Structure formats: structure tokens, C-alpha cells
């Protein structure tokens, strides 16, 4: 059940959204996207979400209903109807990410110390080829290996493939990084919005905040966060894998995402914030 809106909630949501939008605006500006282009594109987002809300309530999403709920003018509703159903949900995890995760979590592909072991490129068992075929039978292992190489995730020494990245961060592909940002941040915000706007059980959405720290301290705490994430990643991935395999025949399919973030910046006093 959704919490009923009110003028107070609307005011609070609008003010809080400005803080949420600040890093988005920074990203857009640094990439040459101006306000006008963003505002125009945002109409489609408002219409898509309005359509989902209307249909969730069991009503028909007419042009009038969409216009009233979203605030988008009816002429724009009609003009954008063909584009409004574009997918706004995060994309599925890429095959490269799935292969990477299995490589670093499956005991068959790890050394005794838990590190991912180098794999022979070919072979029916214990090879990169076998690992890739376990994840997907539709994409040839060579194609996946080429993508690993392009993203600088592996080194190939003769017939041996060695994983060189500690985490799946495709730094060589800006589009892939942008997709990850949209998926991770979108689900984080979705959890928070769910908690604020529904009476359903709450999702995990917590953080630890600290101030008055030196630059050295925030660097050290950043490493602590990475160490904690490495442990959490291994635990969650190992818990996910057998469930995913056991649930292959489930018709009522669900998805999940578990993540963590760490951020620091110089503290700003009131005069800096105002001026």
C-alpha cells in the first residue's frame, strides 16, 4: 500500500530531491548535457512512472490521466506516447559480470587461499571455456574472453587466462560504467523511495556518517570500506549462486541487488555553501 501524498510530503520530497539531483547535474554538465535537454528528456521519465502508478492502481492510463498525474501537458503526452514505454529499469547484469562473479566465488575456480586461479583457455572442465559455458550457452566463450581482454580484466599468457582485476569495474568502457551507475544508484534510490512512500516491509538502506576527520583518516577508512565490501561480496555471491541455480524453473521471478558505497570530500562551512 502506498502512503497517501500531502502538501507537506510534496514540499519535503521536492527539497530533498534537489540534493539528490546535485551530483546528477554535475555528471550531466561535465558531459555537455544542458538543462534544456535534460528537462525535455525528463518528461518521458515522468510519463513512464505515472503510467506504472496508474496501472498499479488498476486504472487505465489514458492521456488525460497521465497528464493529470505527471503534470506533463497533454500535447506532450500524445507526442511522447510512442517513446514512453522505454525501459527505465536497470539492465540485467552483463554476462561478463556474471562470469567474473562465478570465477571469484566458485570453489572450483579458486585457489586454496580463496583467490581466483588462472584457468586454461580451453577444456571441458576447470577452464575459462567451461566457466563461460556454465553462465551462457548462447554466447561463444571466445567472444566473452575477447570482452574480458577489452575491459582489461584478464591477462592471457599462452593458453592460460589470468584474472587481474580485484573487482568488476570496466574502466575501459565508459558506456558500461554509466550503465553500472544507473543500475546501482537507481536501485539504491528505489529502496529508499520504497521505504518512504509505502507501508510495506522496509528494504535495507543504511549508512555510517562521520565528520571532523583528517585527509589521512578518510583514506584509511576508505580502505576499510573496500576490505569490508570484499568480504560482503564473497558472502553474498556464494549465497546467491546455489539459490539462482535452484530457482531456474520458478515462474514468479524476482531480482535483487546488494551494494555498498564510500564517499568523502572536504567539509564546507556555511559561508562556502552560501557563496
Amino acid at each position: 500500500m502506498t502512503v497517501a501524498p500531502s502538501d507537506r510530503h510534496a514540499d519535503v520530497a521536492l527539497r530533498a530531491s534537489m540534493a539528490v539531483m546535485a551530483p546528477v547535474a554535475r555528471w550531466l554538465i561535465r558531459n555537455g548535457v544542458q538543462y534544456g535537454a535534460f528537462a525535455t528528456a525528463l518528461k518521458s521519465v515522468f510519463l513512464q512512472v505515472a503510467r506504472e502508478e496508474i496501472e498499479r492502481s488498476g486504472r487505465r492510463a489514458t492521456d488525460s490521466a497521465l497528464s493529470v498525474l505527471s503534470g506533463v501537458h497533454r500535447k506532450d503526452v500524445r507526442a511522447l506516447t510512442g517513446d514512453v514505454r522505454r525501459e527505465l529499469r536497470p539492465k540485467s547484469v552483463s554476462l561478463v559480470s556474471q562470469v567474473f562473479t562465478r570465477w571469484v566465488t566458485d570453489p572450483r575456480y579458486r585457489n586454496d587461499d580463496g583467490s581466483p586461479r588462472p584457468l586454461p583457455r580451453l577444456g571441458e572442465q576447470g577452464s575459462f571455456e567451461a566457466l563461460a559455458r556454465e553462465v551462457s550457452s548462447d554466447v561463444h566463450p571466445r567472444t566473452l574472453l575477447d570482452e574480458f581482454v577489452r575491459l582489461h580484466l584478464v591477462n592471457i599468457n599462452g593458453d592460460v587466462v589470468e584474472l587481474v582485476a580485484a573487482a568488476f569495474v570496466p574502466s575501459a568502457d565508459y558506456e558500461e560504467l554509466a550503465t553500472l551507475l544507473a543500475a546501482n544508484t537507481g536501485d539504491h534510490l528505489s529502496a529508499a523511495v520504497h521505504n518512504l512512500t509505502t507501508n510495506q516491509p522496509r528494504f535495507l538502506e543504511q549508512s555510517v556518517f562521520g565528520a571532523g576527520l583528517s585527509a589521512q583518516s578518510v583514506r584509511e577508512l576508505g580502505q576499510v570500506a573496500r576490505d569490508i565490501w570484499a568480504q560482503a561480496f564473497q558472502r553474498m555471491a556464494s549465497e546467491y549462486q546455489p539459490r539462482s541455480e535452484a530457482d531456474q524453473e520458478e515462474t514468479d521471478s524476482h531480482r535483487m541487488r546488494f551494494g555498498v558505497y564510500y564517499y568523502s570530500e572536504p567539509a564546507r562551512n556555511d559561508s562556502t555553501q552560501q557563496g
Side-chain angles (χ1 to χ4, degrees), residues 21-76:
M21 283 304 305
V24 176
R26 184 175 299 111
W27 182 35
L28 294 173
I29 288 172
R30 288 178 178 176
N31 285 276
V33 180
Q34 295 184 326
Y35 168 75
F38 179 66
T40 299
L42 201 57
K43 292 179 182 179
S44 293
V45 179
F46 265 76
L47 287 175
Q48 175 66 17
V49 174
R51 179 181 297 277
E52 293 173 357
E53 292 293 301
I54 291 170
E55 292 177 347
R56 184 177 291 115
S57 68
R59 294 177 292 145
R60 191 165 68 90
T62 63
D63 287 355
S64 295
L66 288 169
S67 179
V68 169
L69 185 59
S70 68
V72 176
H73 196 281
R74 283 194 63 176
K75 66 179 180 63
D76 290 324

Side-chain angles (χ1 to χ4, degrees), residues 5 8 13 16 19 24 29 39 67 90 105 113-114 118 120 163 178 195 197 228 252:
R8 175 177 171 274
V24 176
I29 288 172
S67 179
T105 59
D113 64 359
L163 192 63
N195 293 345
T197 60
I228 292 172
D252 185 20

Side-chain angles (χ1 to χ4, degrees), residues 92-114:
S92 299
V93 176
S94 70
L95 285 177
V96 173
S97 177
Q98 293 178 56
V99 172
F100 181 96
T101 299
R102 181 165 296 199
W103 193 345
V104 299
T105 59
D106 193 316
R108 296 173 298 161
Y109 300 104
R110 295 165 60 187
N111 294 312
D112 292 339
D113 64 359

Side-chain angles (χ1 to χ4, degrees), residues 66-223:
L66 288 169
S67 179
V68 169
L69 185 59
S70 68
V72 176
H73 196 281
R74 283 194 63 176
K75 66 179 180 63
D76 290 324
V77 173
R78 288 192 296 269
L80 293 168
T81 296
D83 299 327
V84 73
R85 285 192 176 275
R86 64 175 160 176
E87 185 57 58
L88 299 178
R89 294 290 176 262
K91 293 182 179 179
S92 299
V93 176
S94 70
L95 285 177
V96 173
S97 177
Q98 293 178 56
V99 172
F100 181 96
T101 299
R102 181 165 296 199
W103 193 345
V104 299
T105 59
D106 193 316
R108 296 173 298 161
Y109 300 104
R110 295 165 60 187
N111 294 312
D112 292 339
D113 64 359
S115 61
R117 61 182 176 85
L119 304 177
R121 190 167 68 85
L122 302 174
E124 293 185 2
Q125 291 184 341
S127 67
F128 182 88
E129 178 185 30
L131 170 61
R133 291 195 185 282
E134 286 179 10
V135 174
S136 174
S137 59
D138 297 326
V139 179
H140 196 279
R142 179 69 215 191
T143 302
L144 282 171
L145 181 58
D146 289 343
E147 190 68 2
F148 267 82
V149 172
R150 187 182 72 84
L151 296 174
H152 303 297
L153 298 173
V154 298
N155 283 334
I156 300 179
N157 300 312
D159 290 329
V160 175
V161 184
E162 180 183 7
L163 192 63
V164 295
F168 179 68
V169 182
S171 57
D173 192 319
Y174 185 79
E175 185 171 351
E176 184 76 18
L177 282 171
T179 299
L180 283 173
L181 180 152
N184 293 337
T185 307
D187 277 350
H188 185 172
L189 280 173
S190 292
V193 170
H194 169 94
N195 293 345
L196 279 170
T197 60
T198 76
N199 291 320
Q200 298 175 18
R202 290 178 170 246
F203 286 113
L204 171 65
E205 201 274 317
Q206 299 286 327
S207 66
V208 175
F209 174 80
L213 297 164
S214 67
Q216 176 67 21
S217 290
V218 295
R219 284 194 296 269
E220 292 171 350
L221 288 171
Q223 186 57 53

